[in-house]
Amino acid sequence: MANSPLITSRQNQRVKDAVRLRTSRGRGQQQRFIIDGGREISRALAAGIHCVEAFVCEPQPDTTARVDLLNALRAKSVELLPVTPEVYAKLYFGDREGEGLVVIAETPKRILQDLHLPADPLVAVVEGVEKPGNLGAILRTADAAGIDAVIVAEGRTDLFNPNVMRASLGTVFCDSVVEATTAETVSWLRSRQFRTFAARPDASLVYTEANFCGDVAIVLGSEATGLSAAWNNSDVKPIRLPMHGLSDSLNVSTTAAVLFYEALRQRGR
C-alpha cells in the first residue's frame, strides 16, 4: 500500500497539521487545504489540484472506488500515509468517512488573468457571500448551468472551506473559479465590455425582461449586506425576481439558480 510506517498516534505532527486545515487560519498559514470524500478527491485530481499527501485508513475494505482512488493518487506521486481508524477519526470531516481517505493539497492561486473564456461568455460574480454552503451551492449551480467563469469578489469565506467543497460537489476545483477584489472585477468587466446585470430586490427590471445573450456578467451579493456601492453605476443594470409573498428576497443561491437557468434558456445552450 505504502512504504510509510503506520501512524498510530493522534498527536503525530503531520496529523496535527492536517487537523489545523479545518480552520481558515490554518489553511492560510500552511497554504494548504484538506479534502474529504471520494468524489471531491477525484474531481480535485482531475482538475489538476496539486495533492501532496493522503492519509489512508488501515485496515479498510478494498472497494473498487477505494482502489481506483489509491491508484489515481499513486499516479500523481502523492505520498500515502497509513493511519489507524482512531487517527483517521480525528482527520475526517463530519460523516465524511468516504473511502477511508483524506487528502492534503496545495491551495491554488487563480486570478482573473488566468481565465480563458469562449466567445460570448457568461460570467457570474459573487460578492461578499459569507456562508460556505451558499457559495458552494452557487458554484454547483454555475457548473450545471454552463456558466463560463465564476469570480468570487471580496470573499468572506475562503474557497477551500470544507463546507464550500462539500456543497459544490467538488466543482470549486474548476479552473474557471477565480478570486479578485471588487475593484479588480469591475475594471476587468469594463475593459472587456461586458453587459453587467446586478441582482437587487429594489430593481425595476424583472429578470425575464433582461437580455442575457452576448458577453454578460450576472452579479450577486451577500444576503446580509447586498452589493457594494461599486455596482451603483450606469453601466450596471439592476434586475429583480418578482416576490409575491411576505419575503422581499430569496436565498442568494436560489436567486443564482433562477438567473443562471434563465440565461441558459435565452442562450439556447
Side-chain angles (χ1 to χ4, degrees):
M1 203 285 300
N3 294 324
S4 301
L6 179 70
I7 297 174
T8 60
S9 171
R10 292 162 66 101
Q11 299 307 311
N12 177 279
Q13 190 59 51
R14 295 178 82 163
V15 172
K16 292 167 71 174
D17 288 344
V19 170
R20 290 191 185 101
L21 298 177
R22 294 295 178 200
T23 68
S24 179
R25 182 179 180 182
R27 291 189 291 275
Q29 289 175 338
Q30 298 182 47
Q31 290 300 294
R32 291 183 171 188
F33 65 100
I34 189 166
I35 313 172
D36 305 272
R39 174 180 52 210
E40 287 83 353
I41 293 169
S42 294
R43 289 182 175 173
L45 289 169
I49 297 295
H50 184 211
C51 300
V52 294
E53 61 190 23
F55 294 93
V56 185
C57 185
E58 293 289 336
Q60 186 91 358
D62 280 332
T63 63
T64 300
R66 176 180 164 90
V67 170
D68 288 347
L69 277 174
L70 287 171
N71 287 337
L73 290 165
R74 289 189 185 99
K76 297 288 187 179
S77 300
V78 178
E79 184 179 7
L80 303 181
L81 304 170
V83 298
T84 63
E86 292 74 23
V87 172
Y88 186 70
K90 183 175 181 178
L91 289 164
Y92 73 78
F93 177 57
D95 59 354
R96 304 306 301 276
E97 294 186 55
E99 303 298 336
L101 297 171
V102 169
V103 169
I104 309 302
E106 292 182 355
T107 303
K109 298 297 182 184
R110 290 172 174 165
I111 60 176
L112 288 168
Q113 288 69 29
D114 295 329
L115 289 175
H116 299 285
L117 300 175
D120 301 325
L122 177 61
V123 169
V125 178
V126 185
E127 184 192 54
V129 171
E130 65 282 343
K131 294 182 180 179
N134 277 340
L135 179 56
I138 291 169
L139 295 174
R140 178 180 177 181
T141 304
D143 177 76
I147 302 298
D148 295 306
V150 179
I151 303 167
V152 179
E154 311 291 354
R156 296 182 187 176
T157 181
D158 65 274
L159 281 177
F160 300 102
N161 179 301
N163 281 312
V164 174
M165 290 186 283
R166 186 173 190 175
S168 77
L169 299 186
T171 58
V172 67
F173 302 127
C174 295
D175 60 11
S176 57
V177 179
V178 302
E179 295 181 282
T181 66
T182 292
E184 289 169 342
T185 304
V186 171
S187 176
W188 185 85
L189 292 172
R190 283 179 180 157
S191 69
R192 287 156 179 77
Q193 298 183 324
F194 273 82
R195 287 187 300 110
T196 302
F197 296 93
R200 295 185 181 277
D202 59 351
S204 58
L205 182 68
V206 176
Y207 77 101
T208 50
E209 297 171 355
N211 178 4
F212 293 124
C213 295
D215 295 16
V216 167
I218 296 173
V219 186
L220 302 126
S222 161
E223 290 181 30
T225 59
L227 289 169
S228 68
W231 304 102
N232 297 336
N233 295 300
S234 59
D235 59 349
V236 178
K237 189 70 175 177
I239 55 173
R240 66 177 172 88
L241 275 63
M243 304 297 297
H244 299 295
L246 294 176
S247 176
D248 65 352
S249 65
L250 294 175
N251 173 280
V252 64
S253 62
T254 303
T255 299
V258 173
L259 296 178
F260 294 169
Y261 273 93
E262 173 61 16
L264 178 68
R265 184 192 68 80
Q266 289 188 19
R267 296 162 78 93
R269 290 189 178 178

mmCIF file with all atom_site columns, all heavy atoms in Angstrom, residues 121-141:
data_model
loop_
_atom_site.group_PDB
_atom_site.id
_atom_site.type_symbol
_atom_site.label_atom_id
_atom_site.label_alt_id
_atom_site.label_comp_id
_atom_site.label_asym_id
_atom_site.label_entity_id
_atom_site.label_seq_id
_atom_site.pdbx_PDB_ins_code
_atom_site.Cartn_x
_atom_site.Cartn_y
_atom_site.Cartn_z
_atom_site.occupancy
_atom_site.B_iso_or_equiv
_atom_site.pdbx_formal_charge
_atom_site.auth_seq_id
_atom_site.auth_comp_id
_atom_site.auth_asym_id
_atom_site.auth_atom_id
_atom_site.pdbx_PDB_model_num
ATOM 1   N N   . PRO A 1 121 ? -19.036 35.028 -23.685 1.00 0.00 ? 121 PRO A N   1
ATOM 2   C CA  . PRO A 1 121 ? -19.014 34.347 -22.389 1.00 0.00 ? 121 PRO A CA  1
ATOM 3   C C   . PRO A 1 121 ? -20.114 34.829 -21.446 1.00 0.00 ? 121 PRO A C   1
ATOM 4   O O   . PRO A 1 121 ? -20.555 35.979 -21.498 1.00 0.00 ? 121 PRO A O   1
ATOM 5   C CB  . PRO A 1 121 ? -17.640 34.704 -21.834 1.00 0.00 ? 121 PRO A CB  1
ATOM 6   C CG  . PRO A 1 121 ? -17.333 36.036 -22.446 1.00 0.00 ? 121 PRO A CG  1
ATOM 7   C CD  . PRO A 1 121 ? -17.916 35.982 -23.828 1.00 0.00 ? 121 PRO A CD  1
ATOM 8   N N   . LEU A 1 122 ? -20.522 33.927 -20.580 1.00 0.00 ? 122 LEU A N   1
ATOM 9   C CA  . LEU A 1 122 ? -21.450 34.237 -19.495 1.00 0.00 ? 122 LEU A CA  1
ATOM 10  C C   . LEU A 1 122 ? -20.703 34.018 -18.191 1.00 0.00 ? 122 LEU A C   1
ATOM 11  O O   . LEU A 1 122 ? -20.240 32.914 -17.905 1.00 0.00 ? 122 LEU A O   1
ATOM 12  C CB  . LEU A 1 122 ? -22.684 33.342 -19.561 1.00 0.00 ? 122 LEU A CB  1
ATOM 13  C CG  . LEU A 1 122 ? -23.714 33.508 -18.434 1.00 0.00 ? 122 LEU A CG  1
ATOM 14  C CD1 . LEU A 1 122 ? -24.289 34.929 -18.423 1.00 0.00 ? 122 LEU A CD1 1
ATOM 15  C CD2 . LEU A 1 122 ? -24.822 32.471 -18.576 1.00 0.00 ? 122 LEU A CD2 1
ATOM 16  N N   . VAL A 1 123 ? -20.565 35.101 -17.418 1.00 0.00 ? 123 VAL A N   1
ATOM 17  C CA  . VAL A 1 123 ? -19.757 35.085 -16.198 1.00 0.00 ? 123 VAL A CA  1
ATOM 18  C C   . VAL A 1 123 ? -20.643 35.423 -15.005 1.00 0.00 ? 123 VAL A C   1
ATOM 19  O O   . VAL A 1 123 ? -21.535 36.271 -15.102 1.00 0.00 ? 123 VAL A O   1
ATOM 20  C CB  . VAL A 1 123 ? -18.604 36.107 -16.317 1.00 0.00 ? 123 VAL A CB  1
ATOM 21  C CG1 . VAL A 1 123 ? -17.896 36.313 -14.989 1.00 0.00 ? 123 VAL A CG1 1
ATOM 22  C CG2 . VAL A 1 123 ? -17.612 35.654 -17.387 1.00 0.00 ? 123 VAL A CG2 1
ATOM 23  N N   . ALA A 1 124 ? -20.398 34.762 -13.887 1.00 0.00 ? 124 ALA A N   1
ATOM 24  C CA  . ALA A 1 124 ? -21.075 35.095 -12.632 1.00 0.00 ? 124 ALA A CA  1
ATOM 25  C C   . ALA A 1 124 ? -20.076 35.749 -11.692 1.00 0.00 ? 124 ALA A C   1
ATOM 26  O O   . ALA A 1 124 ? -18.922 35.330 -11.613 1.00 0.00 ? 124 ALA A O   1
ATOM 27  C CB  . ALA A 1 124 ? -21.664 33.858 -11.985 1.00 0.00 ? 124 ALA A CB  1
ATOM 28  N N   . VAL A 1 125 ? -20.539 36.791 -10.998 1.00 0.00 ? 125 VAL A N   1
ATOM 29  C CA  . VAL A 1 125 ? -19.738 37.439 -9.960  1.00 0.00 ? 125 VAL A CA  1
ATOM 30  C C   . VAL A 1 125 ? -20.481 37.271 -8.641  1.00 0.00 ? 125 VAL A C   1
ATOM 31  O O   . VAL A 1 125 ? -21.669 37.579 -8.546  1.00 0.00 ? 125 VAL A O   1
ATOM 32  C CB  . VAL A 1 125 ? -19.528 38.938 -10.249 1.00 0.00 ? 125 VAL A CB  1
ATOM 33  C CG1 . VAL A 1 125 ? -18.737 39.588 -9.117  1.00 0.00 ? 125 VAL A CG1 1
ATOM 34  C CG2 . VAL A 1 125 ? -18.831 39.139 -11.585 1.00 0.00 ? 125 VAL A CG2 1
ATOM 35  N N   . VAL A 1 126 ? -19.786 36.771 -7.643  1.00 0.00 ? 126 VAL A N   1
ATOM 36  C CA  . VAL A 1 126 ? -20.373 36.562 -6.316  1.00 0.00 ? 126 VAL A CA  1
ATOM 37  C C   . VAL A 1 126 ? -19.590 37.416 -5.341  1.00 0.00 ? 126 VAL A C   1
ATOM 38  O O   . VAL A 1 126 ? -18.423 37.138 -5.054  1.00 0.00 ? 126 VAL A O   1
ATOM 39  C CB  . VAL A 1 126 ? -20.307 35.073 -5.913  1.00 0.00 ? 126 VAL A CB  1
ATOM 40  C CG1 . VAL A 1 126 ? -21.034 34.857 -4.595  1.00 0.00 ? 126 VAL A CG1 1
ATOM 41  C CG2 . VAL A 1 126 ? -20.893 34.180 -6.999  1.00 0.00 ? 126 VAL A CG2 1
ATOM 42  N N   . GLU A 1 127 ? -20.223 38.475 -4.846  1.00 0.00 ? 127 GLU A N   1
ATOM 43  C CA  . GLU A 1 127 ? -19.517 39.429 -3.978  1.00 0.00 ? 127 GLU A CA  1
ATOM 44  C C   . GLU A 1 127 ? -19.921 39.272 -2.515  1.00 0.00 ? 127 GLU A C   1
ATOM 45  O O   . GLU A 1 127 ? -21.108 39.331 -2.175  1.00 0.00 ? 127 GLU A O   1
ATOM 46  C CB  . GLU A 1 127 ? -19.812 40.864 -4.417  1.00 0.00 ? 127 GLU A CB  1
ATOM 47  C CG  . GLU A 1 127 ? -19.017 41.892 -3.597  1.00 0.00 ? 127 GLU A CG  1
ATOM 48  C CD  . GLU A 1 127 ? -19.506 43.319 -3.802  1.00 0.00 ? 127 GLU A CD  1
ATOM 49  O OE1 . GLU A 1 127 ? -20.713 43.567 -3.609  1.00 0.00 ? 127 GLU A OE1 1
ATOM 50  O OE2 . GLU A 1 127 ? -18.675 44.180 -4.138  1.00 0.00 ? 127 GLU A OE2 1
ATOM 51  N N   . GLY A 1 128 ? -18.916 39.077 -1.672  1.00 0.00 ? 128 GLY A N   1
ATOM 52  C CA  . GLY A 1 128 ? -19.122 39.152 -0.236  1.00 0.00 ? 128 GLY A CA  1
ATOM 53  C C   . GLY A 1 128 ? -20.000 38.087 0.382   1.00 0.00 ? 128 GLY A C   1
ATOM 54  O O   . GLY A 1 128 ? -20.472 38.267 1.507   1.00 0.00 ? 128 GLY A O   1
ATOM 55  N N   . VAL A 1 129 ? -20.219 36.982 -0.299  1.00 0.00 ? 129 VAL A N   1
ATOM 56  C CA  . VAL A 1 129 ? -21.055 35.923 0.284   1.00 0.00 ? 129 VAL A CA  1
ATOM 57  C C   . VAL A 1 129 ? -20.292 35.276 1.434   1.00 0.00 ? 129 VAL A C   1
ATOM 58  O O   . VAL A 1 129 ? -19.145 34.858 1.274   1.00 0.00 ? 129 VAL A O   1
ATOM 59  C CB  . VAL A 1 129 ? -21.438 34.873 -0.787  1.00 0.00 ? 129 VAL A CB  1
ATOM 60  C CG1 . VAL A 1 129 ? -22.113 33.665 -0.144  1.00 0.00 ? 129 VAL A CG1 1
ATOM 61  C CG2 . VAL A 1 129 ? -22.369 35.510 -1.809  1.00 0.00 ? 129 VAL A CG2 1
ATOM 62  N N   . GLU A 1 130 ? -20.954 35.226 2.585   1.00 0.00 ? 130 GLU A N   1
ATOM 63  C CA  . GLU A 1 130 ? -20.240 34.804 3.786   1.00 0.00 ? 130 GLU A CA  1
ATOM 64  C C   . GLU A 1 130 ? -20.504 33.360 4.188   1.00 0.00 ? 130 GLU A C   1
ATOM 65  O O   . GLU A 1 130 ? -19.724 32.769 4.929   1.00 0.00 ? 130 GLU A O   1
ATOM 66  C CB  . GLU A 1 130 ? -20.586 35.721 4.969   1.00 0.00 ? 130 GLU A CB  1
ATOM 67  C CG  . GLU A 1 130 ? -22.027 35.679 5.445   1.00 0.00 ? 130 GLU A CG  1
ATOM 68  C CD  . GLU A 1 130 ? -22.987 36.466 4.567   1.00 0.00 ? 130 GLU A CD  1
ATOM 69  O OE1 . GLU A 1 130 ? -22.529 37.309 3.785   1.00 0.00 ? 130 GLU A OE1 1
ATOM 70  O OE2 . GLU A 1 130 ? -24.216 36.226 4.664   1.00 0.00 ? 130 GLU A OE2 1
ATOM 71  N N   . LYS A 1 131 ? -21.591 32.750 3.730   1.00 0.00 ? 131 LYS A N   1
ATOM 72  C CA  . LYS A 1 131 ? -21.911 31.385 4.150   1.00 0.00 ? 131 LYS A CA  1
ATOM 73  C C   . LYS A 1 131 ? -21.312 30.377 3.178   1.00 0.00 ? 131 LYS A C   1
ATOM 74  O O   . LYS A 1 131 ? -21.622 30.393 1.982   1.00 0.00 ? 131 LYS A O   1
ATOM 75  C CB  . LYS A 1 131 ? -23.428 31.211 4.228   1.00 0.00 ? 131 LYS A CB  1
ATOM 76  C CG  . LYS A 1 131 ? -24.082 32.052 5.313   1.00 0.00 ? 131 LYS A CG  1
ATOM 77  C CD  . LYS A 1 131 ? -25.576 31.816 5.374   1.00 0.00 ? 131 LYS A CD  1
ATOM 78  C CE  . LYS A 1 131 ? -26.228 32.663 6.462   1.00 0.00 ? 131 LYS A CE  1
ATOM 79  N NZ  . LYS A 1 131 ? -27.703 32.470 6.515   1.00 0.00 ? 131 LYS A NZ  1
ATOM 80  N N   . PRO A 1 132 ? -20.463 29.473 3.685   1.00 0.00 ? 132 PRO A N   1
ATOM 81  C CA  . PRO A 1 132 ? -19.832 28.494 2.796   1.00 0.00 ? 132 PRO A CA  1
ATOM 82  C C   . PRO A 1 132 ? -20.832 27.652 2.011   1.00 0.00 ? 132 PRO A C   1
ATOM 83  O O   . PRO A 1 132 ? -20.606 27.357 0.835   1.00 0.00 ? 132 PRO A O   1
ATOM 84  C CB  . PRO A 1 132 ? -19.014 27.626 3.760   1.00 0.00 ? 132 PRO A CB  1
ATOM 85  C CG  . PRO A 1 132 ? -18.767 28.496 4.940   1.00 0.00 ? 132 PRO A CG  1
ATOM 86  C CD  . PRO A 1 132 ? -19.984 29.356 5.074   1.00 0.00 ? 132 PRO A CD  1
ATOM 87  N N   . GLY A 1 133 ? -21.931 27.277 2.645   1.00 0.00 ? 133 GLY A N   1
ATOM 88  C CA  . GLY A 1 133 ? -22.928 26.469 1.957   1.00 0.00 ? 133 GLY A CA  1
ATOM 89  C C   . GLY A 1 133 ? -23.544 27.191 0.775   1.00 0.00 ? 133 GLY A C   1
ATOM 90  O O   . GLY A 1 133 ? -23.791 26.586 -0.280  1.00 0.00 ? 133 GLY A O   1
ATOM 91  N N   . ASN A 1 134 ? -23.794 28.488 0.929   1.00 0.00 ? 134 ASN A N   1
ATOM 92  C CA  . ASN A 1 134 ? -24.339 29.279 -0.175  1.00 0.00 ? 134 ASN A CA  1
ATOM 93  C C   . ASN A 1 134 ? -23.340 29.383 -1.322  1.00 0.00 ? 134 ASN A C   1
ATOM 94  O O   . ASN A 1 134 ? -23.693 29.228 -2.493  1.00 0.00 ? 134 ASN A O   1
ATOM 95  C CB  . ASN A 1 134 ? -24.708 30.683 0.302   1.00 0.00 ? 134 ASN A CB  1
ATOM 96  C CG  . ASN A 1 134 ? -26.080 30.745 0.955   1.00 0.00 ? 134 ASN A CG  1
ATOM 97  O OD1 . ASN A 1 134 ? -26.917 29.870 0.745   1.00 0.00 ? 134 ASN A OD1 1
ATOM 98  N ND2 . ASN A 1 134 ? -26.301 31.760 1.757   1.00 0.00 ? 134 ASN A ND2 1
ATOM 99  N N   . LEU A 1 135 ? -22.081 29.660 -0.985  1.00 0.00 ? 135 LEU A N   1
ATOM 100 C CA  . LEU A 1 135 ? -21.065 29.786 -2.031  1.00 0.00 ? 135 LEU A CA  1
ATOM 101 C C   . LEU A 1 135 ? -20.900 28.463 -2.776  1.00 0.00 ? 135 LEU A C   1
ATOM 102 O O   . LEU A 1 135 ? -20.846 28.432 -4.009  1.00 0.00 ? 135 LEU A O   1
ATOM 103 C CB  . LEU A 1 135 ? -19.734 30.227 -1.431  1.00 0.00 ? 135 LEU A CB  1
ATOM 104 C CG  . LEU A 1 135 ? -18.572 30.386 -2.410  1.00 0.00 ? 135 LEU A CG  1
ATOM 105 C CD1 . LEU A 1 135 ? -18.928 31.364 -3.531  1.00 0.00 ? 135 LEU A CD1 1
ATOM 106 C CD2 . LEU A 1 135 ? -17.310 30.846 -1.685  1.00 0.00 ? 135 LEU A CD2 1
ATOM 107 N N   . GLY A 1 136 ? -20.846 27.368 -2.029  1.00 0.00 ? 136 GLY A N   1
ATOM 108 C CA  . GLY A 1 136 ? -20.729 26.070 -2.675  1.00 0.00 ? 136 GLY A CA  1
ATOM 109 C C   . GLY A 1 136 ? -21.909 25.750 -3.569  1.00 0.00 ? 136 GLY A C   1
ATOM 110 O O   . GLY A 1 136 ? -21.748 25.221 -4.678  1.00 0.00 ? 136 GLY A O   1
ATOM 111 N N   . ALA A 1 137 ? -23.117 26.078 -3.109  1.00 0.00 ? 137 ALA A N   1
ATOM 112 C CA  . ALA A 1 137 ? -24.312 25.815 -3.913  1.00 0.00 ? 137 ALA A CA  1
ATOM 113 C C   . ALA A 1 137 ? -24.313 26.644 -5.192  1.00 0.00 ? 137 ALA A C   1
ATOM 114 O O   . ALA A 1 137 ? -24.729 26.168 -6.261  1.00 0.00 ? 137 ALA A O   1
ATOM 115 C CB  . ALA A 1 137 ? -25.569 26.109 -3.090  1.00 0.00 ? 137 ALA A CB  1
ATOM 116 N N   . ILE A 1 138 ? -23.844 27.894 -5.119  1.00 0.00 ? 138 ILE A N   1
ATOM 117 C CA  . ILE A 1 138 ? -23.757 28.742 -6.313  1.00 0.00 ? 138 ILE A CA  1
ATOM 118 C C   . ILE A 1 138 ? -22.773 28.143 -7.313  1.00 0.00 ? 138 ILE A C   1
ATOM 119 O O   . ILE A 1 138 ? -23.044 28.088 -8.524  1.00 0.00 ? 138 ILE A O   1
ATOM 120 C CB  . ILE A 1 138 ? -23.351 30.173 -5.933  1.00 0.00 ? 138 ILE A CB  1
ATOM 121 C CG1 . ILE A 1 138 ? -24.488 30.850 -5.156  1.00 0.00 ? 138 ILE A CG1 1
ATOM 122 C CG2 . ILE A 1 138 ? -23.017 30.996 -7.181  1.00 0.00 ? 138 ILE A CG2 1
ATOM 123 C CD1 . ILE A 1 138 ? -24.088 32.171 -4.517  1.00 0.00 ? 138 ILE A CD1 1
ATOM 124 N N   . LEU A 1 139 ? -21.626 27.671 -6.823  1.00 0.00 ? 139 LEU A N   1
ATOM 125 C CA  . LEU A 1 139 ? -20.632 27.067 -7.716  1.00 0.00 ? 139 LEU A CA  1
ATOM 126 C C   . LEU A 1 139 ? -21.184 25.816 -8.384  1.00 0.00 ? 139 LEU A C   1
ATOM 127 O O   . LEU A 1 139 ? -20.981 25.586 -9.585  1.00 0.00 ? 139 LEU A O   1
ATOM 128 C CB  . LEU A 1 139 ? -19.366 26.732 -6.937  1.00 0.00 ? 139 LEU A CB  1
ATOM 129 C CG  . LEU A 1 139 ? -18.586 27.920 -6.368  1.00 0.00 ? 139 LEU A CG  1
ATOM 130 C CD1 . LEU A 1 139 ? -17.443 27.435 -5.489  1.00 0.00 ? 139 LEU A CD1 1
ATOM 131 C CD2 . LEU A 1 139 ? -18.068 28.815 -7.488  1.00 0.00 ? 139 LEU A CD2 1
ATOM 132 N N   . ARG A 1 140 ? -21.904 25.020 -7.623  1.00 0.00 ? 140 ARG A N   1
ATOM 133 C CA  . ARG A 1 140 ? -22.510 23.798 -8.181  1.00 0.00 ? 140 ARG A CA  1
ATOM 134 C C   . ARG A 1 140 ? -23.524 24.141 -9.266  1.00 0.00 ? 140 ARG A C   1
ATOM 135 O O   . ARG A 1 140 ? -23.553 23.526 -10.334 1.00 0.00 ? 140 ARG A O   1
ATOM 136 C CB  . ARG A 1 140 ? -23.174 23.015 -7.049  1.00 0.00 ? 140 ARG A CB  1
ATOM 137 C CG  . ARG A 1 140 ? -23.886 21.743 -7.483  1.00 0.00 ? 140 ARG A CG  1
ATOM 138 C CD  . ARG A 1 140 ? -24.506 21.069 -6.269  1.00 0.00 ? 140 ARG A CD  1
ATOM 139 N NE  . ARG A 1 140 ? -25.257 19.877 -6.629  1.00 0.00 ? 140 ARG A NE  1
ATOM 140 C CZ  . ARG A 1 140 ? -25.917 19.120 -5.758  1.00 0.00 ? 140 ARG A CZ  1
ATOM 141 N NH1 . ARG A 1 140 ? -25.886 19.435 -4.461  1.00 0.00 ? 140 ARG A NH1 1
ATOM 142 N NH2 . ARG A 1 140 ? -26.576 18.050 -6.153  1.00 0.00 ? 140 ARG A NH2 1
ATOM 143 N N   . THR A 1 141 ? -24.356 25.140 -9.008  1.00 0.00 ? 141 THR A N   1
ATOM 144 C CA  . THR A 1 141 ? -25.357 25.554 -9.978  1.00 0.00 ? 141 THR A CA  1
ATOM 145 C C   . THR A 1 141 ? -24.721 26.167 -11.209 1.00 0.00 ? 141 THR A C   1
ATOM 146 O O   . THR A 1 141 ? -25.150 25.918 -12.344 1.00 0.00 ? 141 THR A O   1
ATOM 147 C CB  . THR A 1 141 ? -26.341 26.555 -9.339  1.00 0.00 ? 141 THR A CB  1
ATOM 148 O OG1 . THR A 1 141 ? -26.927 25.956 -8.182  1.00 0.00 ? 141 THR A OG1 1
ATOM 149 C CG2 . THR A 1 141 ? -27.440 26.954 -10.309 1.00 0.00 ? 141 THR A CG2 1
#
